Amino acid sequence: MGPRGTGGWAGRAGAPAPGRTCLLPLLLCAALRSLRASPGSEVNLLDSRTVMGDLGWIAYPKNGWEEIGEVDENYAPIHTYQVCKVMEQNQNNWLLTSWISNEGASRIFIELKFTLRDCNSLPGGLGTCKETFNMYYFESDDEDGRNIKENQYIKIDTIAADESFTELDLGDRVMKLNTEVRDVGPLTKKGFYLAFQDVGACIALVSVRVYYKKCPSVIRNLARFPDTITGADSSQLLEVSGVCINHSVTEEAPKMHCSAEGEWLVPIGKCLCKAGYEEKNNTCQAPSPVSTVKKGKITKNSISLSWQEPDRPNGIILEYEIKYFEKDQETSYTIIKSKETTITADGLKPGSAYVFQIRARTAAGYGGFSRRFEFETSPVLAASSDQSQIPIIVVSVTVGVILLAVVIGFLLSGRRCGYSKAKQDPEEEKMHFHNGHIKLPGVRTYVDPHTYEDPNQAVHEFAKEIEASCITIERVIGAGEFGEVCSGRLKLQGKREFPVAIKTLKVGYTEKQRRDFLGEASIMGQFDHPNIIHLEGVVTKSKPVMIVTEYMENGSLDTFLKKNDGQFTVIQLVGMLRGIASGMKYLSDMGYVHRDLAARNILINSNLVCKVSDFGLSRVLEDDPEAAYTTRGGKIPIRWTAPEAIAFRKFTSASDVWSYGIVMWEVMSYGERPYWEMTNQDVIKAVEEGYRLPSPMDCPAALYQLMLDCWQKDRNSRPKFDEIVSMLDKLIRNPSSLKTLVNASSRVSNLLVEHSPVGSGAYRSVGEWLEAIKMGRYTEIFMENGYSSMDAVAQVTLEDLRRLGVTLVGHQKKIMNSLQEMKVQLVNGMVPL
Ligand code: ACK
């Protein structure tokens, strides 16, 4: 019990008295109440505020720490321990907790809330008064460890108060509550004890919360990731494999990384709903199989069938697959695909039994096959009579099918909000299904829409037609080459409404503009990858003509990074780069060369997933404001383009890799403009002469090396996209490999000196310097606090920055690194400060 005269907690000792309200200052009670809920990714092992009965802690010696029984206004106990032996020499008061199980966690966190008396405010010469206490732990597999000696405890830290309080504060009933968090790990036993050692301070330990962090179970990309306890090391990222949810299968092994902070980072891979299952709210539900199949016209060589849509289509049926084979000859079967609910299987043997099975396909894939239906062709008849039937049968079947198609088409377009069926060239359908033999799924390759004589046909081959009435435009978010870009919502039949981006074609377009505009959809529609912007469909049957894609909440990557300068961890940035590389690997595997890969053409969503976009047909020539005419007349985004593509238009996946290196540089420098304000001509010249961009600030050496590899003059020496993906995966799995940064002096040696903002000569003012490193927002604060010349600025320390209110670590680093760099340059005699 602290001496009353010194301003201890007089009048608050003793057992909790029923009916008493919280006797701690009001402010403290309110603060405690608001602190009861713990964040989702933290799991409490102990929270002294929620223990209803005795805590079972032991004080030694007995007259040291003492528990003061308090209850809050709901009569819940507040276990507060206090000690205040500031007048007595040689204090050594221990408070030992009971045994705490770590529940398998190997790193635990301890959050202490306490108040501490300011020694200066105590009367008399208080040479003995302390303003700190010590926290210890001792690991033990069971409760037997309780009797171990104090000197076997391992010290965690000395705890000091950010705010100590005085007599005055007590008078005002204001309690300055301190919160300190420490972590301990790796733990190797099943549990531990904590101990608090007082050596002569006036402390009230108001609460102790012990917890570990976990990445909570989530479903991402249709894979379930389990509750994962974070790693033992504070910088460790645990790679966790996801398990595909029911009715889904692995497309690329789903993985995520659980950070020490309990956040899921860098999702990789995904699962897809199985054939016939549709993705809805992170689950896959199946469309039912076709149940009713009826035979139509039967000849000696053909069988016509019709069927009804499945009872539960679970989405828009895009087509049916009809599998058939001669009875008992199942190994040799034929597949026909039809957008209608009728087909005629021809080329059959007369008088033979055939088995048919039908399944429907929605956007999510194929449903299950129907049961087997068996029908028999007609036996051979006399040649004359049979021959005479053919023209009649052909005419009637054709007319019937056409009529049925017209009626169905009419009903679909008029009544439903959904994709209308693309018209197929009958010849092509016949060719496509020639003999109907199963088409083995091979490596898909990109089809250039230019190879289509009629570009409209290409659009409808690869893009679904959407009814304009299904789209609600909400607001304009930007301007594209062909018209406005809007955000809005798409509501398709049988699906939940979801946000989309809508590119529109402005009125008064020429036929060429329309073709070029829709060309992008013809290209985008061929891709299906988590890091490629997904095409929902097109509106071509009404005006305005529109391209509808998935909505990316954070817009273009370059703008997003500029807006959030210095705010991401290296792992988050590498996660973005990994996504872009994975999308580019997919494109290069498909034989598609992007030609305009740049951060402005990457979109980023709310999960920080990056997707490659901008697939315009003549985009490189027309659309990109960065594209400039070369001497050969082509229009090329010079700063992003490989030398061989600029010089002789050799655009390949290897030139895309060069651009990818520039994107890496943009990302690591938070949207800095490559080569700053150098002219395009100077860029071409410098690159030809072997100069390369310097490393961005704080860039891990491994990443800068990868950039340099992408900028190899010999395009065959550049890494391939699959190698880039593997390399980034390796870095993500082993984050300590990202800790080695390119140091300031080696950065200087790589500088395109005249053009680097840091190397561009002496800054005329503090404002100019801060602007150059994009920290202009702090100019006023610097000036107001006496840092008005570059000489004064050169003396700034990290502590000064904190004092000035530069609290973001990224910003602190940026400023300190720039200063450091200027000093290095000064030493080298390069830049006079
Ligand atoms: O940086 P932003 O907000 O992101 O501004 C541009 C603008 O439209 C013109 O291209 C934004 N944008 C383009 N496509 C999408 C999309 N799918 N989702 C969200 N924003 C988009 C882009």
PDB file of all heavy atoms in Angstrom, residues 383-402:
ATOM      1  N   ALA A 383     -33.987 -48.489-101.760  1.00  0.00           N
ATOM      2  CA  ALA A 383     -33.246 -47.265-102.097  1.00  0.00           C
ATOM      3  C   ALA A 383     -34.147 -46.178-102.643  1.00  0.00           C
ATOM      4  O   ALA A 383     -34.058 -45.038-102.229  1.00  0.00           O
ATOM      5  CB  ALA A 383     -32.154 -47.584-103.103  1.00  0.00           C
ATOM      6  N   SER A 384     -35.073 -46.524-103.565  1.00  0.00           N
ATOM      7  CA  SER A 384     -35.845 -45.480-104.231  1.00  0.00           C
ATOM      8  C   SER A 384     -36.697 -44.679-103.244  1.00  0.00           C
ATOM      9  O   SER A 384     -36.671 -43.459-103.230  1.00  0.00           O
ATOM     10  CB  SER A 384     -36.729 -46.084-105.313  1.00  0.00           C
ATOM     11  OG  SER A 384     -37.553 -47.052-104.705  1.00  0.00           O
ATOM     12  N   SER A 385     -37.437 -45.450-102.389  1.00  0.00           N
ATOM     13  CA  SER A 385     -38.350 -44.723-101.507  1.00  0.00           C
ATOM     14  C   SER A 385     -37.583 -43.867-100.507  1.00  0.00           C
ATOM     15  O   SER A 385     -37.961 -42.751-100.214  1.00  0.00           O
ATOM     16  CB  SER A 385     -39.275 -45.692-100.769  1.00  0.00           C
ATOM     17  OG  SER A 385     -38.506 -46.448 -99.876  1.00  0.00           O
ATOM     18  N   ASP A 386     -36.435 -44.469 -99.999  1.00  0.00           N
ATOM     19  CA  ASP A 386     -35.677 -43.697 -99.008  1.00  0.00           C
ATOM     20  C   ASP A 386     -35.092 -42.425 -99.622  1.00  0.00           C
ATOM     21  O   ASP A 386     -35.168 -41.360 -99.039  1.00  0.00           O
ATOM     22  CB  ASP A 386     -34.548 -44.577 -98.463  1.00  0.00           C
ATOM     23  CG  ASP A 386     -33.940 -43.945 -97.245  1.00  0.00           C
ATOM     24  OD1 ASP A 386     -34.699 -43.360 -96.452  1.00  0.00           O
ATOM     25  OD2 ASP A 386     -32.711 -44.004 -97.104  1.00  0.00           O
ATOM     26  N   GLN A 387     -34.511 -42.589-100.837  1.00  0.00           N
ATOM     27  CA  GLN A 387     -33.920 -41.429-101.492  1.00  0.00           C
ATOM     28  C   GLN A 387     -34.939 -40.314-101.680  1.00  0.00           C
ATOM     29  O   GLN A 387     -34.645 -39.149-101.488  1.00  0.00           O
ATOM     30  CB  GLN A 387     -33.382 -41.812-102.890  1.00  0.00           C
ATOM     31  CG  GLN A 387     -32.177 -42.725-102.856  1.00  0.00           C
ATOM     32  CD  GLN A 387     -30.959 -42.020-102.270  1.00  0.00           C
ATOM     33  OE1 GLN A 387     -30.763 -40.858-102.520  1.00  0.00           O
ATOM     34  NE2 GLN A 387     -30.176 -42.726-101.479  1.00  0.00           N
ATOM     35  N   SER A 388     -36.154 -40.747-102.011  1.00  0.00           N
ATOM     36  CA  SER A 388     -37.177 -39.744-102.291  1.00  0.00           C
ATOM     37  C   SER A 388     -37.527 -38.924-101.044  1.00  0.00           C
ATOM     38  O   SER A 388     -38.045 -37.842-101.129  1.00  0.00           O
ATOM     39  CB  SER A 388     -38.433 -40.403-102.845  1.00  0.00           C
ATOM     40  OG  SER A 388     -38.969 -41.210-101.819  1.00  0.00           O
ATOM     41  N   GLN A 389     -37.240 -39.491 -99.846  1.00  0.00           N
ATOM     42  CA  GLN A 389     -37.588 -38.774 -98.610  1.00  0.00           C
ATOM     43  C   GLN A 389     -36.608 -37.631 -98.293  1.00  0.00           C
ATOM     44  O   GLN A 389     -36.945 -36.693 -97.606  1.00  0.00           O
ATOM     45  CB  GLN A 389     -37.538 -39.741 -97.406  1.00  0.00           C
ATOM     46  CG  GLN A 389     -38.508 -40.879 -97.461  1.00  0.00           C
ATOM     47  CD  GLN A 389     -39.925 -40.441 -97.195  1.00  0.00           C
ATOM     48  OE1 GLN A 389     -40.146 -39.633 -96.322  1.00  0.00           O
ATOM     49  NE2 GLN A 389     -40.891 -40.932 -97.971  1.00  0.00           N
ATOM     50  N   ILE A 390     -35.379 -37.783 -98.761  1.00  0.00           N
ATOM     51  CA  ILE A 390     -34.310 -36.906 -98.269  1.00  0.00           C
ATOM     52  C   ILE A 390     -34.608 -35.416 -98.406  1.00  0.00           C
ATOM     53  O   ILE A 390     -34.550 -34.695 -97.409  1.00  0.00           O
ATOM     54  CB  ILE A 390     -32.956 -37.289 -98.908  1.00  0.00           C
ATOM     55  CG1 ILE A 390     -32.520 -38.639 -98.346  1.00  0.00           C
ATOM     56  CG2 ILE A 390     -31.867 -36.236 -98.617  1.00  0.00           C
ATOM     57  CD1 ILE A 390     -31.290 -39.220 -98.994  1.00  0.00           C
ATOM     58  N   PRO A 391     -34.963 -34.968 -99.622  1.00  0.00           N
ATOM     59  CA  PRO A 391     -35.183 -33.513 -99.717  1.00  0.00           C
ATOM     60  C   PRO A 391     -36.249 -33.037 -98.749  1.00  0.00           C
ATOM     61  O   PRO A 391     -36.114 -32.002 -98.119  1.00  0.00           O
ATOM     62  CB  PRO A 391     -35.617 -33.309-101.172  1.00  0.00           C
ATOM     63  CG  PRO A 391     -35.227 -34.564-101.904  1.00  0.00           C
ATOM     64  CD  PRO A 391     -35.224 -35.651-100.906  1.00  0.00           C
ATOM     65  N   ILE A 392     -37.301 -33.823 -98.586  1.00  0.00           N
ATOM     66  CA  ILE A 392     -38.395 -33.391 -97.696  1.00  0.00           C
ATOM     67  C   ILE A 392     -37.894 -33.298 -96.257  1.00  0.00           C
ATOM     68  O   ILE A 392     -38.133 -32.341 -95.548  1.00  0.00           O
ATOM     69  CB  ILE A 392     -39.581 -34.392 -97.779  1.00  0.00           C
ATOM     70  CG1 ILE A 392     -40.070 -34.434 -99.210  1.00  0.00           C
ATOM     71  CG2 ILE A 392     -40.702 -34.006 -96.820  1.00  0.00           C
ATOM     72  CD1 ILE A 392     -40.945 -35.637 -99.526  1.00  0.00           C
ATOM     73  N   ILE A 393     -37.142 -34.339 -95.844  1.00  0.00           N
ATOM     74  CA  ILE A 393     -36.653 -34.358 -94.452  1.00  0.00           C
ATOM     75  C   ILE A 393     -35.717 -33.180 -94.218  1.00  0.00           C
ATOM     76  O   ILE A 393     -35.852 -32.441 -93.252  1.00  0.00           O
ATOM     77  CB  ILE A 393     -35.928 -35.690 -94.144  1.00  0.00           C
ATOM     78  CG1 ILE A 393     -36.931 -36.828 -94.166  1.00  0.00           C
ATOM     79  CG2 ILE A 393     -35.207 -35.625 -92.800  1.00  0.00           C
ATOM     80  CD1 ILE A 393     -36.310 -38.202 -94.188  1.00  0.00           C
ATOM     81  N   VAL A 394     -34.775 -33.004 -95.158  1.00  0.00           N
ATOM     82  CA  VAL A 394     -33.800 -31.930 -94.987  1.00  0.00           C
ATOM     83  C   VAL A 394     -34.505 -30.600 -94.867  1.00  0.00           C
ATOM     84  O   VAL A 394     -34.265 -29.823 -93.943  1.00  0.00           O
ATOM     85  CB  VAL A 394     -32.788 -31.913 -96.165  1.00  0.00           C
ATOM     86  CG1 VAL A 394     -31.958 -30.628 -96.131  1.00  0.00           C
ATOM     87  CG2 VAL A 394     -31.887 -33.127 -96.096  1.00  0.00           C
ATOM     88  N   VAL A 395     -35.473 -30.349 -95.777  1.00  0.00           N
ATOM     89  CA  VAL A 395     -36.176 -29.065 -95.773  1.00  0.00           C
ATOM     90  C   VAL A 395     -36.948 -28.898 -94.475  1.00  0.00           C
ATOM     91  O   VAL A 395     -36.857 -27.886 -93.797  1.00  0.00           O
ATOM     92  CB  VAL A 395     -37.104 -28.945 -96.998  1.00  0.00           C
ATOM     93  CG1 VAL A 395     -38.027 -27.739 -96.850  1.00  0.00           C
ATOM     94  CG2 VAL A 395     -36.271 -28.840 -98.258  1.00  0.00           C
ATOM     95  N   SER A 396     -37.684 -29.964 -94.073  1.00  0.00           N
ATOM     96  CA  SER A 396     -38.534 -29.783 -92.898  1.00  0.00           C
ATOM     97  C   SER A 396     -37.710 -29.625 -91.620  1.00  0.00           C
ATOM     98  O   SER A 396     -38.014 -28.794 -90.780  1.00  0.00           O
ATOM     99  CB  SER A 396     -39.541 -30.931 -92.752  1.00  0.00           C
ATOM    100  OG  SER A 396     -38.821 -32.134 -92.739  1.00  0.00           O
ATOM    101  N   VAL A 397     -36.607 -30.424 -91.505  1.00  0.00           N
ATOM    102  CA  VAL A 397     -35.782 -30.291 -90.307  1.00  0.00           C
ATOM    103  C   VAL A 397     -35.161 -28.900 -90.256  1.00  0.00           C
ATOM    104  O   VAL A 397     -35.205 -28.220 -89.236  1.00  0.00           O
ATOM    105  CB  VAL A 397     -34.673 -31.375 -90.267  1.00  0.00           C
ATOM    106  CG1 VAL A 397     -33.621 -31.041 -89.202  1.00  0.00           C
ATOM    107  CG2 VAL A 397     -35.283 -32.732 -89.995  1.00  0.00           C
ATOM    108  N   THR A 398     -34.643 -28.456 -91.409  1.00  0.00           N
ATOM    109  CA  THR A 398     -33.990 -27.141 -91.435  1.00  0.00           C
ATOM    110  C   THR A 398     -34.980 -26.045 -91.065  1.00  0.00           C
ATOM    111  O   THR A 398     -34.703 -25.201 -90.207  1.00  0.00           O
ATOM    112  CB  THR A 398     -33.406 -26.876 -92.844  1.00  0.00           C
ATOM    113  OG1 THR A 398     -32.642 -27.993 -93.211  1.00  0.00           O
ATOM    114  CG2 THR A 398     -32.535 -25.621 -92.836  1.00  0.00           C
ATOM    115  N   VAL A 399     -36.160 -26.081 -91.714  1.00  0.00           N
ATOM    116  CA  VAL A 399     -37.158 -25.040 -91.443  1.00  0.00           C
ATOM    117  C   VAL A 399     -37.555 -25.074 -89.966  1.00  0.00           C
ATOM    118  O   VAL A 399     -37.634 -24.056 -89.298  1.00  0.00           O
ATOM    119  CB  VAL A 399     -38.388 -25.220 -92.357  1.00  0.00           C
ATOM    120  CG1 VAL A 399     -39.546 -24.345 -91.898  1.00  0.00           C
ATOM    121  CG2 VAL A 399     -38.006 -24.906 -93.797  1.00  0.00           C
ATOM    122  N   GLY A 400     -37.747 -26.304 -89.467  1.00  0.00           N
ATOM    123  CA  GLY A 400     -38.157 -26.455 -88.066  1.00  0.00           C
ATOM    124  C   GLY A 400     -37.126 -25.868 -87.125  1.00  0.00           C
ATOM    125  O   GLY A 400     -37.451 -25.100 -86.222  1.00  0.00           O
ATOM    126  N   VAL A 401     -35.867 -26.203 -87.386  1.00  0.00           N
ATOM    127  CA  VAL A 401     -34.802 -25.721 -86.504  1.00  0.00           C
ATOM    128  C   VAL A 401     -34.710 -24.212 -86.571  1.00  0.00           C
ATOM    129  O   VAL A 401     -34.614 -23.532 -85.548  1.00  0.00           O
ATOM    130  CB  VAL A 401     -33.446 -26.385 -86.874  1.00  0.00           C
ATOM    131  CG1 VAL A 401     -32.282 -25.668 -86.202  1.00  0.00           C
ATOM    132  CG2 VAL A 401     -33.466 -27.858 -86.484  1.00  0.00           C
ATOM    133  N   ILE A 402     -34.797 -23.664 -87.803  1.00  0.00           N
ATOM    134  CA  ILE A 402     -34.684 -22.205 -87.941  1.00  0.00           C
ATOM    135  C   ILE A 402     -35.830 -21.524 -87.207  1.00  0.00           C
ATOM    136  O   ILE A 402     -35.628 -20.580 -86.447  1.00  0.00           O
ATOM    137  CB  ILE A 402     -34.664 -21.789 -89.434  1.00  0.00           C
ATOM    138  CG1 ILE A 402     -33.321 -22.223 -90.046  1.00  0.00           C
ATOM    139  CG2 ILE A 402     -34.845 -20.276 -89.600  1.00  0.00           C
ATOM    140  CD1 ILE A 402     -33.224 -22.058 -91.542  1.00  0.00           C
TER     141      ILE A 402
END
